């Protein structure tokens, strides 16, 4: 958080159709709204097609010093869903408990297909700067369920990533 109490977050929507203008991005604006409600300063959504443009957007976010990049879309089983593959090479380390909790939240709400999401959570690094990266599903329901999990821990995760101590009771 670079001395600031408010995490700087960028939202990246991953959708071939939305990037081409054939589909209205609904999950990105919702994710930005929910991240702002969680106390973040939010930019985006940046709308990119699946594949290498996802990696480029995450590299840009890292270079621009964001505390977190939250993606929506491209985490399923469709042939073009490649957000995890575009994310993983940038991660210094993964946070598997967070990714598992995101899937479990949807499953626990009765969305059986939530367990098919391949989204990752982890920390990317460029020089001395670290950035939290979390892949959320591309549906508005998946974004809502995911932010119900991520929202309460996002600022703490960023503070920990920056070397902050655990809060004491």
């Amino acid at each position: 958080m670079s001395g600031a109490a408010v995490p700087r977050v960028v939202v990246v929507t991953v959708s071939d159709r939305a990037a081409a203008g054939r589909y209205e991005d609904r999950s990105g604006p919702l994710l930005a709204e929910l991240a702002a409600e969680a106390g973040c300063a939010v930019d985006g959504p940046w709308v990119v097609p699946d594949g290498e443009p996802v990696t480029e957007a995450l590299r840009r976010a890292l270079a621009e010093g964001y505390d977190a990049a939250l993606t929506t879309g491209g985490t399923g089983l469709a042939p073009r869903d490649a957000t995890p593959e575009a994310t993983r090479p940038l991660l210094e380390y993964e946070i598997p408990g967070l990714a598992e909790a995101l899937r479990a939240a949807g499953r626990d709400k009765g969305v059986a297909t939530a367990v098919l999401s391949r989204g990752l959570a982890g920390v990317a690094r460029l020089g001395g700067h670290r950035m939290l990266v979390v892949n959320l599903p591309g549906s508005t329901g998946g974004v809502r369920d995911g932010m119900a999990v991520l929202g309460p821990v996002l600022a703490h995760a960023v503070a920990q990533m920056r070397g902050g101590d655990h809060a004491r009771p």
Side-chain angles (χ1 to χ4, degrees):
M1 289 188 316
S2 310
V6 176
R8 280 185 63 229
V9 173
V10 65
V11 170
V12 179
T13 298
V14 181
S15 170
D16 289 338
R17 292 180 299 157
R22 293 191 308 268
Y23 176 84
E24 180 186 351
D25 174 21
R26 292 186 196 96
S27 63
L30 176 62
L31 181 52
E33 176 185 324
L34 295 174
E37 288 176 9
C40 300
V42 182
D43 287 330
W46 299 345
V47 181
V48 299
D50 287 281
E52 181 61 27
V54 178
T55 304
E56 292 168 9
L58 293 174
R59 281 191 180 124
R60 173 183 164 198
L62 192 55
E64 291 183 13
Y66 284 96
D67 294 309
L70 309 180
T71 70
T72 172
T75 63
L77 304 180
R80 292 274 303 148
D81 287 342
T83 299
E85 289 75 19
T87 301
R88 184 172 278 119
L90 299 177
L91 298 181
E92 181 178 34
Y93 55 87
E94 292 187 34
I95 309 168
L98 181 52
E100 292 161 8
L102 294 170
R103 284 184 278 277
R107 182 202 61 217
D108 292 350
K109 283 194 160 187
V111 182
T113 55
V115 300
L116 298 178
S117 174
R118 300 178 308 110
L120 301 175
V123 175
R125 178 152 103 165
L126 179 63
H129 177 70
R130 289 178 158 175
M131 179 181 76
L132 179 68
V133 181
V134 181
N135 302 149
L136 296 171
S139 68
T140 56
V143 164
R144 283 186 196 285
D145 293 345
M147 282 305 294
V149 172
L150 182 59
V153 301
L154 183 56
H156 180 70
V158 169
Q160 288 290 293
M161 189 178 63
R162 299 277 178 261
D165 200 3
H166 290 281
R168 304 282 183 229

